[in-house]
Amino acid sequence: MAGKQVEAAAVIDKIKIMKRIIIIFCLIAFVKSYSQTSEGSTTEYKKRVLETTEIDFLSSYYTQDGDNAAVSGGIGTEELTDATGTFVVSIPLNDDDILTIDAGVSAYTSASSSNIDPFDDGPADPFQASSGASRSDLWGNVTGSYSHSSDDRNEIWSTKLSVSTEYDYFSAGLGGSYTRLFNEKNTELSISGNVYIDSWNAIYPIELRPFGENGNRLNNPLFTRNNITGNTNYNPNFTPFDSEGRNSYSLGFGFSQILHKNVQGSLALDFVQQQGLLSTPFQRVYFSDVPNSFIDNFQLADDVEKLPDSRFKVAIGGRLNWYLNEVVVLRTFYRYYFDDWGITSHTASIEAPIKITDKFTLYPSYRFYNQTAADYFRPYETALSTDEFYTSDYDLSEYNANQFGFGISYTDIFTKAHIWKFGLKSIDLKFYQYDRDTSFSSSIITSGFNFIMD
């Protein structure tokens, strides 16, 4: 009971923090808009960066499945569904400044994560979902950003603050960017940076918890109520993580150039440094040199994944957009990525918007991705108990993936359709089908509605 009270108090504290951030940004918006209104009569006219308040409502529905769940050590169902809703409100504070508030909620149900505790309702099996509390979760995020453009519109500064939370994770982020336009706005340079301070509320597989500090080991009711088969002397060498914090720092550079009246190109270079708990506490690992123990059809974990406490990532990419004619535009993208965990990857994509009428556009697309395996990746039952690091998460394995997409958009710059005081400017609907060569597949449907205040 005391543990639940502590968790409830932590959730309440997180909600209070999110409310305070929203209040602070609203106060900034009020003060800025009031001061600019009082000074407006003394400044000369210039085109506003954003003419009026805009509201975007975004939603998505995502499903996935596969046979390599990391929660059950590289085997078992990866079935998951997720529904997300997000509101983005952009408020012009004056001619030059914009305040944006982005708030979203994501609710998911996962057969895979339900097996953090697979022994709570009937025979346990890695390919079957459990009905435990870990089967579903709710994620919430609030991001406030502020941008300022210079009088000549050749410089843009922005800053942002974000908070996100779910049952076992909390994150706070701060970031900013600077953009400079040259050559009659045909050339653009940008730099951005972000810092995220995260903390886990570590949740371990149910069978390992009695072997933590001061645990009652095989005297735990889990083992006294259930028969262990195979190696009945189950004795994992499990130690909870000392620290549950994670810090991420990113630095990005961008360059964009109009190459021709019909061609635009851009380059991007990004660096990310992560430190802290980079392992996922509830993902099991099975050792090949330790006898197997089972309850029902579920193999008991030998340990959780162990990964280094630092990771450095580098990505460099480029885009080339070619306006073929009034009907078709080609958008191409390529990115090369590598990190100090041994992963290298290549991403290539192409999208070809096709304008079929003044208001409707089709968006067929294709994306290819491949990567090498991390140095620490071990498929099911191939890790050794003497290894320093190990994981059976197939997100860190070697694989190829293909994604096909199709979308349609409706745009009405005159916003003839209205909901209350807001005119409907655009609607976007898209579908993507993603397939890996590791038996994993997913699909997602997204929608977006853009409104402007009259």
Tab-separated table of all heavy atoms in Angstrom, residues 260-303:
chain	number	residue	atom	x	y	z
A	260	HIS	N	17.845	25.912	-58.024
A	260	HIS	CA	17.236	26.270	-59.289
A	260	HIS	C	15.824	26.691	-58.963
A	260	HIS	O	15.317	26.405	-57.872
A	260	HIS	CB	17.278	25.051	-60.236
A	260	HIS	CG	16.675	25.281	-61.586
A	260	HIS	ND1	15.340	25.069	-61.866
A	260	HIS	CD2	17.227	25.698	-62.761
A	260	HIS	CE1	15.099	25.338	-63.133
A	260	HIS	NE2	16.226	25.730	-63.705
A	261	LYS	N	15.169	27.363	-59.861
A	261	LYS	CA	13.799	27.791	-59.570
A	261	LYS	C	12.881	26.609	-59.283
A	261	LYS	O	11.833	26.763	-58.647
A	261	LYS	CB	13.246	28.627	-60.715
A	261	LYS	CG	13.060	27.869	-62.017
A	261	LYS	CD	12.463	28.774	-63.099
A	261	LYS	CE	12.209	28.015	-64.393
A	261	LYS	NZ	11.593	28.881	-65.429
A	262	ASN	N	13.297	25.405	-59.723
A	262	ASN	CA	12.478	24.214	-59.496
A	262	ASN	C	13.132	23.194	-58.555
A	262	ASN	O	12.566	22.120	-58.331
A	262	ASN	CB	12.175	23.511	-60.824
A	262	ASN	CG	11.289	24.339	-61.728
A	262	ASN	OD1	10.611	25.250	-61.276
A	262	ASN	ND2	11.315	24.034	-63.016
A	263	VAL	N	14.307	23.508	-58.012
A	263	VAL	CA	15.045	22.517	-57.222
A	263	VAL	C	15.549	23.151	-55.929
A	263	VAL	O	16.154	24.231	-55.940
A	263	VAL	CB	16.242	21.945	-58.010
A	263	VAL	CG1	16.963	20.891	-57.170
A	263	VAL	CG2	15.782	21.338	-59.330
A	264	GLN	N	15.306	22.456	-54.818
A	264	GLN	CA	15.823	22.873	-53.520
A	264	GLN	C	16.526	21.698	-52.863
A	264	GLN	O	16.033	20.568	-52.876
A	264	GLN	CB	14.699	23.357	-52.605
A	264	GLN	CG	15.199	23.805	-51.226
A	264	GLN	CD	14.070	24.071	-50.258
A	264	GLN	OE1	13.079	23.337	-50.248
A	264	GLN	NE2	14.200	25.119	-49.459
A	265	GLY	N	17.691	21.956	-52.268
A	265	GLY	CA	18.440	20.915	-51.572
A	265	GLY	C	18.752	21.332	-50.154
A	265	GLY	O	18.819	22.521	-49.835
A	266	SER	N	18.946	20.357	-49.268
A	266	SER	CA	19.303	20.653	-47.885
A	266	SER	C	20.168	19.551	-47.320
A	266	SER	O	20.109	18.394	-47.764
A	266	SER	CB	18.054	20.829	-47.021
A	266	SER	OG	17.316	19.635	-46.947
A	267	LEU	N	20.995	19.906	-46.327
A	267	LEU	CA	21.860	18.970	-45.613
A	267	LEU	C	21.635	19.143	-44.120
A	267	LEU	O	21.362	20.253	-43.644
A	267	LEU	CB	23.330	19.203	-45.955
A	267	LEU	CG	23.761	18.977	-47.408
A	267	LEU	CD1	25.205	19.437	-47.595
A	267	LEU	CD2	23.622	17.500	-47.781
A	268	ALA	N	21.782	18.047	-43.367
A	268	ALA	CA	21.619	18.103	-41.919
A	268	ALA	C	22.668	17.214	-41.258
A	268	ALA	O	22.971	16.112	-41.750
A	268	ALA	CB	20.223	17.659	-41.502
A	269	LEU	N	23.228	17.705	-40.159
A	269	LEU	CA	24.204	16.953	-39.378
A	269	LEU	C	23.783	17.018	-37.917
A	269	LEU	O	23.594	18.102	-37.369
A	269	LEU	CB	25.600	17.554	-39.554
A	269	LEU	CG	26.734	16.929	-38.727
A	269	LEU	CD1	26.943	15.467	-39.115
A	269	LEU	CD2	28.025	17.724	-38.907
A	270	ASP	N	23.620	15.837	-37.294
A	270	ASP	CA	23.117	15.777	-35.926
A	270	ASP	C	24.028	14.923	-35.055
A	270	ASP	O	24.495	13.853	-35.484
A	270	ASP	CB	21.701	15.188	-35.898
A	270	ASP	CG	20.689	16.075	-36.597
A	270	ASP	OD1	20.364	17.142	-36.062
A	270	ASP	OD2	20.241	15.699	-37.705
A	271	PHE	N	24.239	15.401	-33.822
A	271	PHE	CA	25.009	14.671	-32.824
A	271	PHE	C	24.130	14.485	-31.589
A	271	PHE	O	23.452	15.421	-31.159
A	271	PHE	CB	26.273	15.432	-32.424
A	271	PHE	CG	27.196	15.742	-33.569
A	271	PHE	CD1	27.121	16.981	-34.212
A	271	PHE	CD2	28.125	14.823	-34.012
A	271	PHE	CE1	27.969	17.288	-35.258
A	271	PHE	CE2	28.977	15.117	-35.072
A	271	PHE	CZ	28.897	16.354	-35.700
A	272	VAL	N	24.170	13.287	-31.013
A	272	VAL	CA	23.416	13.007	-29.790
A	272	VAL	C	24.327	12.271	-28.812
A	272	VAL	O	24.972	11.275	-29.180
A	272	VAL	CB	22.162	12.154	-30.066
A	272	VAL	CG1	21.451	11.822	-28.766
A	272	VAL	CG2	21.212	12.865	-31.019
A	273	GLN	N	24.362	12.756	-27.578
A	273	GLN	CA	25.093	12.085	-26.508
A	273	GLN	C	24.104	11.713	-25.411
A	273	GLN	O	23.360	12.565	-24.925
A	273	GLN	CB	26.178	13.000	-25.934
A	273	GLN	CG	26.918	12.423	-24.740
A	273	GLN	CD	27.782	11.219	-25.102
A	273	GLN	OE1	28.583	11.274	-26.041
A	273	GLN	NE2	27.609	10.111	-24.379
A	274	GLN	N	24.077	10.423	-25.053
A	274	GLN	CA	23.209	9.953	-23.979
A	274	GLN	C	24.049	9.375	-22.850
A	274	GLN	O	25.064	8.715	-23.096
A	274	GLN	CB	22.248	8.877	-24.492
A	274	GLN	CG	21.215	9.380	-25.481
A	274	GLN	CD	20.270	8.275	-25.920
A	274	GLN	OE1	20.690	7.316	-26.548
A	274	GLN	NE2	19.000	8.416	-25.583
A	275	GLN	N	23.585	9.623	-21.627
A	275	GLN	CA	24.290	9.121	-20.450
A	275	GLN	C	23.270	8.677	-19.413
A	275	GLN	O	22.205	9.285	-19.276
A	275	GLN	CB	25.194	10.203	-19.856
A	275	GLN	CG	26.337	10.623	-20.769
A	275	GLN	CD	27.165	11.750	-20.178
A	275	GLN	OE1	26.633	12.618	-19.490
A	275	GLN	NE2	28.458	11.752	-20.440
A	276	GLY	N	23.605	7.627	-18.679
A	276	GLY	CA	22.722	7.163	-17.619
A	276	GLY	C	22.175	5.779	-17.906
A	276	GLY	O	22.824	4.946	-18.555
A	277	LEU	N	20.969	5.522	-17.425
A	277	LEU	CA	20.339	4.217	-17.583
A	277	LEU	C	19.766	4.090	-18.997
A	277	LEU	O	18.667	4.574	-19.289
A	277	LEU	CB	19.237	4.032	-16.537
A	277	LEU	CG	18.470	2.700	-16.597
A	277	LEU	CD1	19.416	1.515	-16.551
A	277	LEU	CD2	17.442	2.632	-15.471
A	278	LEU	N	20.511	3.425	-19.884
A	278	LEU	CA	20.091	3.238	-21.268
A	278	LEU	C	19.503	1.842	-21.500
A	278	LEU	O	19.057	1.540	-22.604
A	278	LEU	CB	21.275	3.475	-22.214
A	278	LEU	CG	21.971	4.841	-22.064
A	278	LEU	CD1	23.067	4.996	-23.118
A	278	LEU	CD2	20.970	5.983	-22.164
A	279	SER	N	19.520	1.012	-20.481
A	279	SER	CA	18.875	-0.293	-20.547
A	279	SER	C	17.404	-0.134	-20.179
A	279	SER	O	17.042	0.750	-19.406
A	279	SER	CB	19.538	-1.271	-19.567
A	279	SER	OG	20.932	-1.354	-19.772
A	280	THR	N	16.570	-1.002	-20.731
A	280	THR	CA	15.164	-1.030	-20.354
A	280	THR	C	14.995	-2.069	-19.255
A	280	THR	O	15.233	-3.266	-19.492
A	280	THR	CB	14.283	-1.380	-21.558
A	280	THR	OG1	14.514	-0.418	-22.598
A	280	THR	CG2	12.809	-1.347	-21.174
A	281	PRO	N	14.592	-1.670	-18.051
A	281	PRO	CA	14.649	-2.578	-16.892
A	281	PRO	C	13.784	-3.821	-17.004
A	281	PRO	O	14.085	-4.829	-16.346
A	281	PRO	CB	14.167	-1.685	-15.734
A	281	PRO	CG	14.468	-0.288	-16.170
A	281	PRO	CD	14.261	-0.297	-17.651
A	282	PHE	N	12.700	-3.799	-17.815
A	282	PHE	CA	11.817	-4.965	-17.839
A	282	PHE	C	12.045	-5.886	-19.030
A	282	PHE	O	11.239	-6.781	-19.302
A	282	PHE	CB	10.340	-4.533	-17.792
A	282	PHE	CG	9.952	-3.501	-18.819
A	282	PHE	CD1	9.777	-3.827	-20.147
A	282	PHE	CD2	9.760	-2.184	-18.435
A	282	PHE	CE1	9.411	-2.879	-21.082
A	282	PHE	CE2	9.391	-1.214	-19.355
A	282	PHE	CZ	9.211	-1.564	-20.689
A	283	GLN	N	13.148	-5.716	-19.771
A	283	GLN	CA	13.427	-6.581	-20.921
A	283	GLN	C	14.349	-7.732	-20.504
A	283	GLN	O	15.485	-7.508	-20.079
A	283	GLN	CB	14.019	-5.767	-22.071
A	283	GLN	CG	13.026	-4.754	-22.608
A	283	GLN	CD	13.462	-4.052	-23.866
A	283	GLN	OE1	12.658	-3.394	-24.523
A	283	GLN	NE2	14.717	-4.155	-24.228
A	284	ARG	N	13.853	-8.958	-20.647
A	284	ARG	CA	14.563	-10.151	-20.177
A	284	ARG	C	15.698	-10.549	-21.111
A	284	ARG	O	15.687	-10.231	-22.303
A	284	ARG	CB	13.587	-11.327	-20.052
A	284	ARG	CG	12.538	-11.179	-18.964
A	284	ARG	CD	11.568	-12.362	-19.010
A	284	ARG	NE	10.606	-12.357	-17.914
A	284	ARG	CZ	9.451	-11.700	-17.931
A	284	ARG	NH1	9.097	-10.991	-19.000
A	284	ARG	NH2	8.634	-11.760	-16.897
A	285	VAL	N	16.653	-11.297	-20.535
A	285	VAL	CA	17.719	-11.950	-21.295
A	285	VAL	C	17.862	-13.364	-20.757
A	285	VAL	O	17.782	-13.597	-19.539
A	285	VAL	CB	19.052	-11.187	-21.177
A	285	VAL	CG1	20.194	-12.001	-21.781
A	285	VAL	CG2	18.958	-9.833	-21.876
A	286	TYR	N	18.081	-14.345	-21.681
A	286	TYR	CA	18.294	-15.736	-21.306
A	286	TYR	C	19.717	-16.138	-21.705
A	286	TYR	O	20.139	-15.912	-22.849
A	286	TYR	CB	17.282	-16.648	-22.001
A	286	TYR	CG	15.848	-16.329	-21.642
A	286	TYR	CD1	14.966	-15.838	-22.603
A	286	TYR	CD2	15.375	-16.511	-20.353
A	286	TYR	CE1	13.644	-15.551	-22.282
A	286	TYR	CE2	14.059	-16.225	-20.017
A	286	TYR	CZ	13.200	-15.744	-20.977
A	286	TYR	OH	11.905	-15.448	-20.654
A	287	PHE	N	20.450	-16.773	-20.788
A	287	PHE	CA	21.831	-17.174	-21.030
A	287	PHE	C	21.885	-18.604	-21.563
A	287	PHE	O	21.117	-19.480	-21.131
A	287	PHE	CB	22.654	-17.091	-19.749
A	287	PHE	CG	22.762	-15.705	-19.181
A	287	PHE	CD1	22.616	-15.485	-17.819
A	287	PHE	CD2	23.011	-14.613	-20.005
A	287	PHE	CE1	22.723	-14.216	-17.285
A	287	PHE	CE2	23.128	-13.337	-19.484
A	287	PHE	CZ	22.970	-13.133	-18.115
A	288	SER	N	22.824	-18.836	-22.473
A	288	SER	CA	22.977	-20.186	-23.042
A	288	SER	C	23.710	-21.124	-22.091
A	288	SER	O	23.635	-22.343	-22.255
A	288	SER	CB	23.727	-20.107	-24.376
A	288	SER	OG	25.032	-19.571	-24.186
A	289	ASP	N	24.436	-20.585	-21.095
A	289	ASP	CA	25.223	-21.418	-20.177
A	289	ASP	C	24.556	-21.566	-18.807
A	289	ASP	O	25.208	-21.939	-17.829
A	289	ASP	CB	26.638	-20.856	-20.021
A	289	ASP	CG	26.655	-19.411	-19.544
A	289	ASP	OD1	25.593	-18.758	-19.575
A	289	ASP	OD2	27.737	-18.935	-19.139
A	290	VAL	N	23.253	-21.271	-18.723
A	290	VAL	CA	22.500	-21.427	-17.472
A	290	VAL	C	21.302	-22.326	-17.753
A	290	VAL	O	20.561	-22.092	-18.722
A	290	VAL	CB	22.040	-20.064	-16.928
A	290	VAL	CG1	21.116	-20.243	-15.730
A	290	VAL	CG2	23.239	-19.196	-16.548
A	291	PRO	N	21.065	-23.363	-16.944
A	291	PRO	CA	19.904	-24.249	-17.164
A	291	PRO	C	18.593	-23.481	-17.108
A	291	PRO	O	18.436	-22.535	-16.332
A	291	PRO	CB	20.009	-25.251	-16.003
A	291	PRO	CG	21.441	-25.207	-15.575
A	291	PRO	CD	21.897	-23.794	-15.803
A	292	ASN	N	17.648	-23.905	-17.933
A	292	ASN	CA	16.377	-23.192	-18.056
A	292	ASN	C	15.408	-23.581	-16.945
A	292	ASN	O	15.282	-24.746	-16.581
A	292	ASN	CB	15.726	-23.495	-19.404
A	292	ASN	CG	16.576	-23.017	-20.562
A	292	ASN	OD1	17.390	-22.112	-20.410
A	292	ASN	ND2	16.395	-23.633	-21.717
A	293	SER	N	14.698	-22.548	-16.452
A	293	SER	CA	13.647	-22.745	-15.461
A	293	SER	C	12.347	-22.196	-16.016
A	293	SER	O	12.343	-21.145	-16.682
A	293	SER	CB	13.996	-22.040	-14.145
A	293	SER	OG	15.206	-22.527	-13.606
A	294	PHE	N	11.214	-22.885	-15.727
A	294	PHE	CA	9.917	-22.496	-16.285
A	294	PHE	C	8.839	-22.497	-15.206
A	294	PHE	O	8.907	-23.263	-14.231
A	294	PHE	CB	9.475	-23.468	-17.387
A	294	PHE	CG	10.356	-23.491	-18.597
A	294	PHE	CD1	11.488	-24.299	-18.632
A	294	PHE	CD2	10.052	-22.725	-19.716
A	294	PHE	CE1	12.297	-24.341	-19.760
A	294	PHE	CE2	10.854	-22.762	-20.839
A	294	PHE	CZ	11.974	-23.567	-20.863
A	295	ILE	N	7.869	-21.626	-15.385
A	295	ILE	CA	6.567	-21.752	-14.749
A	295	ILE	C	5.556	-21.792	-15.884
A	295	ILE	O	5.512	-20.876	-16.711
A	295	ILE	CB	6.262	-20.583	-13.790
A	295	ILE	CG1	7.191	-20.638	-12.572
A	295	ILE	CG2	4.812	-20.620	-13.345
A	295	ILE	CD1	6.969	-19.492	-11.592
A	296	ASP	N	4.777	-22.853	-15.943
A	296	ASP	CA	3.908	-23.099	-17.093
A	296	ASP	C	4.774	-23.144	-18.347
A	296	ASP	O	5.787	-23.851	-18.367
A	296	ASP	CB	2.818	-22.026	-17.192
A	296	ASP	CG	1.909	-21.992	-15.971
A	296	ASP	OD1	1.662	-23.078	-15.401
A	296	ASP	OD2	1.474	-20.901	-15.577
A	297	ASN	N	4.401	-22.382	-19.390
A	297	ASN	CA	5.185	-22.366	-20.627
A	297	ASN	C	6.102	-21.149	-20.715
A	297	ASN	O	6.641	-20.866	-21.788
A	297	ASN	CB	4.252	-22.378	-21.841
A	297	ASN	CG	3.470	-23.660	-21.963
A	297	ASN	OD1	4.001	-24.738	-21.682
A	297	ASN	ND2	2.210	-23.558	-22.359
A	298	PHE	N	6.274	-20.446	-19.601
A	298	PHE	CA	7.062	-19.216	-19.630
A	298	PHE	C	8.410	-19.448	-18.964
A	298	PHE	O	8.488	-19.872	-17.806
A	298	PHE	CB	6.314	-18.086	-18.918
A	298	PHE	CG	6.781	-16.720	-19.322
A	298	PHE	CD1	6.108	-16.002	-20.291
A	298	PHE	CD2	7.910	-16.150	-18.735
A	298	PHE	CE1	6.539	-14.749	-20.676
A	298	PHE	CE2	8.352	-14.893	-19.117
A	298	PHE	CZ	7.667	-14.188	-20.090
A	299	GLN	N	9.463	-19.121	-19.712
A	299	GLN	CA	10.816	-19.295	-19.190
A	299	GLN	C	11.178	-18.140	-18.270
A	299	GLN	O	10.988	-16.967	-18.609
A	299	GLN	CB	11.816	-19.366	-20.347
A	299	GLN	CG	13.243	-19.679	-19.915
A	299	GLN	CD	14.155	-19.895	-21.112
A	299	GLN	OE1	13.675	-20.043	-22.236
A	299	GLN	NE2	15.461	-19.906	-20.888
A	300	LEU	N	11.693	-18.466	-17.094
A	300	LEU	CA	12.060	-17.451	-16.114
A	300	LEU	C	13.353	-16.767	-16.526
A	300	LEU	O	14.299	-17.403	-17.006
A	300	LEU	CB	12.220	-18.087	-14.730
A	300	LEU	CG	11.000	-18.867	-14.219
A	300	LEU	CD1	11.277	-19.417	-12.827
A	300	LEU	CD2	9.755	-17.994	-14.220
A	301	ALA	N	13.428	-15.467	-16.324
A	301	ALA	CA	14.554	-14.667	-16.798
A	301	ALA	C	15.834	-15.021	-16.065
A	301	ALA	O	15.834	-15.274	-14.848
A	301	ALA	CB	14.246	-13.182	-16.618
A	302	ASP	N	16.944	-14.993	-16.805
A	302	ASP	CA	18.259	-15.097	-16.181
A	302	ASP	C	18.761	-13.725	-15.747
A	302	ASP	O	19.528	-13.626	-14.792
A	302	ASP	CB	19.264	-15.735	-17.147
A	302	ASP	CG	18.927	-17.190	-17.434
A	302	ASP	OD1	18.461	-17.881	-16.503
A	302	ASP	OD2	19.100	-17.619	-18.593
A	303	ASP	N	18.336	-12.685	-16.445
A	303	ASP	CA	18.714	-11.310	-16.093
A	303	ASP	C	17.889	-10.367	-16.963
A	303	ASP	O	17.125	-10.810	-17.836
A	303	ASP	CB	20.216	-11.087	-16.325
A	303	ASP	CG	20.765	-9.894	-15.534
A	303	ASP	OD1	19.969	-9.185	-14.875
A	303	ASP	OD2	21.983	-9.671	-15.574
